[in-house]
Amino acid sequence: FAITGHLNDISNSTKKILQLSVVDWMAVALVGKDEPVARLTRQLEYETGGSPESVVIGNKNRLPARSAAYTNGIAGHALDYDDTHFDYLGHPSVVVLSAALAISDKYKLSFEEFKNASIIGMETSCRIGKWLGRKHYRSGFHITSTSGIFGATIAVSKLMGLSLEQIENALCIATSHSSGLKEQFGSMVKPYHIGMGAHSGIQSSILS
């Protein structure tokens, strides 16, 4: 699915939802970048430094792809207004788009490639989230991050042109990074889960 899936295979209505999701995520991230959790974590990444590979939303200075995905993911969920999929009680865009944008920017890929990988990644997040089920969510797990990391991994793997074996390895690595607890809802750690998922989706793909 990750290798062969393509925008040409989906309906126009789904493409429109993807466009809305991208605009929605970018809008809430632009506002969310000024939230305390976004400022604190972004400053930490700038102090760490590294190669200026990818754009950081609302900032002139760039960061390594993993750091950019991490900070953009946190900003995109800081206000908790990003799009929601009620079939699995999660936010399908924020983890995936944060990771996909960082990698697309790093390798100077086209917007078409970004959209193509993003829709496959978002579909993966939704399907895994639905498979995990509401019992998983009601048991105390933040399903946006626990399923979102797999969507991010798939999107990044597709953008990097990984083989089937490499994608399988990436997903296995991502399994060890899948985390997030509902007990922390209402605190700054909730959006932090999203940054972790986006960052780890890239790391899992690179290590595969």
Side-chain angles (χ1 to χ4, degrees):
F1 176 67
I3 293 173
T4 62
H6 198 275
L7 278 172
N8 294 335
D9 302 325
I10 66 175
S11 66
N12 288 330
S13 61
T14 301
K15 292 177 183 177
K16 290 180 180 178
I17 291 172
L18 172 62
Q19 292 174 337
L20 286 172
S21 294
V22 171
V23 172
D24 173 85
W25 170 72
M26 185 64 68
V28 295
L30 279 168
V31 180
K33 70 179 177 59
D34 294 322
E35 289 296 299
V37 62
R39 286 189 285 104
L40 285 168
T41 52
R42 185 170 60 245
Q43 183 59 39
L44 179 62
E45 294 306 303
Y46 279 129
E47 289 175 6
T48 303
S51 302
E53 298 172 339
S54 304
V55 66
V56 177
I57 294 175
N59 291 266
K60 293 181 180 179
N61 297 325
R62 302 163 76 84
L63 282 170
R66 284 178 292 164
S67 296
Y70 169 74
T71 58
N72 290 338
I74 290 171
H77 198 59
L79 295 174
D80 215 350
Y81 286 124
D82 41 316
D83 61 350
T84 304
H85 195 297
F86 289 101
D87 201 27
Y88 82 103
L89 299 177
H91 302 264
S93 299
V94 65
V95 184
V96 175
L97 295 182
S98 300
L101 176 65
I103 289 297
S104 296
D105 195 19
K106 176 180 179 178
Y107 294 112
K108 307 308 175 192
L109 303 177
S110 69
F111 186 51
E112 191 73 9
E113 290 173 297
F114 164 75
K115 290 193 297 180
N116 190 48
S118 294
I119 194 66
I120 300 302
M122 290 164 64
E123 181 72 13
T124 300
S125 294
C126 292
R127 291 190 186 199
I128 290 181
K130 186 175 181 179
W131 174 74
L132 288 169
R134 297 193 175 205
K135 183 178 180 181
H136 173 79
Y137 181 79
R138 289 168 179 161
S139 294
F141 295 101
H142 187 184
I143 202 167
T144 298
S145 56
T146 58
S147 67
I149 185 176
F150 297 105
T153 300
I154 288 293
V156 171
S157 295
K158 191 169 184 67
L159 288 167
M160 293 177 63
L162 300 187
S163 67
L164 177 59
E165 182 179 5
Q166 288 174 314
I167 294 173
E168 289 175 346
N169 290 338
L171 290 171
C172 286
I173 295 169
T175 301
S176 291
H177 288 278
S178 178
S179 61
L181 300 175
K182 282 179 63 184
E183 183 68 24
Q184 296 168 324
F185 282 16
S187 75
M188 289 193 287
V189 182
K190 185 175 190 282
Y192 178 75
H193 296 162
I194 306 305
M196 290 193 307
H199 175 283
S200 296
I202 293 177
Q203 182 163 298
S204 298
S205 300
I206 291 173
L207 293 175
S208 66

